[in-house]
Amino acid sequence: MTIWYTADTHFGRENIMRFCNCPFMSASQMDAALLENMWKVVGPEDQLWILGDFAFGSKAKDSAYVEQIFNQLPGAERHLVVGNHDLRPTLELPWDSISYLVELKDGPQNQPNTLCHYPMITWNHARKGALQFFGHVHKKLARVSQFCECRR
């Protein structure tokens, strides 16, 4: 079993192409590409962790739409770490777990990594090899990156 992480999939977000200069003509084309790419790597026994913002925009309010996308996700387990755009239809899906903050053992030393939608300055075991996985900031990470540079 392998654990996979992703964040900010923003399924259904039509205007993401304009904001992020995405190479898609529509949200449905983007959604299909995201799912196809997930299926290429996430195996049938694997865990998939989505670190927030599963869907976005008007389609995120459509229970049938988010359920249809959810049912296409690969893996034996699908987990949600709640993001700021995760609405009731997303939260009502049959996730294996839903949380705002998770400490999950993974990696070569089986270290307790922290999962959260939002970046943190520090986290449990940060100076003992544990990582923090997050989304939310997209390409706007200058302040956090500067902090990381100072720690080296």
Side-chain angles (χ1 to χ4, degrees):
M1 181 216 36
T2 302
I3 301 173
W4 296 92
Y5 307 93
T6 190
D8 299 291
T9 49
H10 290 225
F11 285 108
R13 186 175 185 185
E14 286 294 339
N15 59 4
I16 194 74
M17 281 65 69
R18 182 177 47 147
F19 290 130
C20 297
N21 197 25
C22 294
F24 305 109
M25 299 302 293
S26 67
S28 60
Q29 185 185 27
M30 177 189 71
D31 293 351
L34 284 169
L35 290 166
E36 180 182 348
N37 288 335
M38 287 180 189
W39 275 95
K40 287 179 182 176
V41 295
V42 179
E45 302 299 319
D46 294 348
Q47 290 183 14
L48 176 62
W49 287 81
I50 296 182
L51 308 182
D53 294 357
F54 175 69
F56 188 88
S58 61
K59 289 186 178 181
K61 299 172 187 170
D62 181 347
S63 295
Y65 172 79
V66 294
E67 183 177 7
Q68 180 256 340
I69 293 292
F70 177 84
N71 288 335
Q72 295 179 68
L73 292 175
E77 296 180 22
R78 284 116 7 133
H79 303 271
L80 177 69
V81 176
V82 179
N84 55 304
H85 294 300
D86 291 315
L87 305 176
R88 180 177 292 167
T90 292
L91 299 175
E92 291 176 345
L93 293 168
W95 300 96
D96 289 285
S97 72
I98 299 175
S99 35
Y100 288 86
L101 182 72
V102 173
E103 196 171 275
L104 180 68
K105 290 190 176 194
D106 188 22
Q109 286 82 37
N110 202 34
Q111 68 268 14
N113 295 323
T114 298
L115 313 180
C116 184
H117 180 64
Y118 308 98
M120 300 174 176
I121 292 173
T122 191
W123 52 92
N124 195 24
H125 302 284
R127 290 174 180 82
K128 297 179 182 173
L131 302 173
Q132 192 228 346
F133 294 92
F134 60 89
H136 187 66
V137 294
H138 304 275
K139 294 182 179 180
K140 300 173 184 170
L141 193 57
R143 293 177 71 189
V144 175
S145 295
Q146 290 169 355
F147 171 76
C148 293
E149 291 297 322
C150 294
R151 287 186 55 205
R152 290 184 185 180

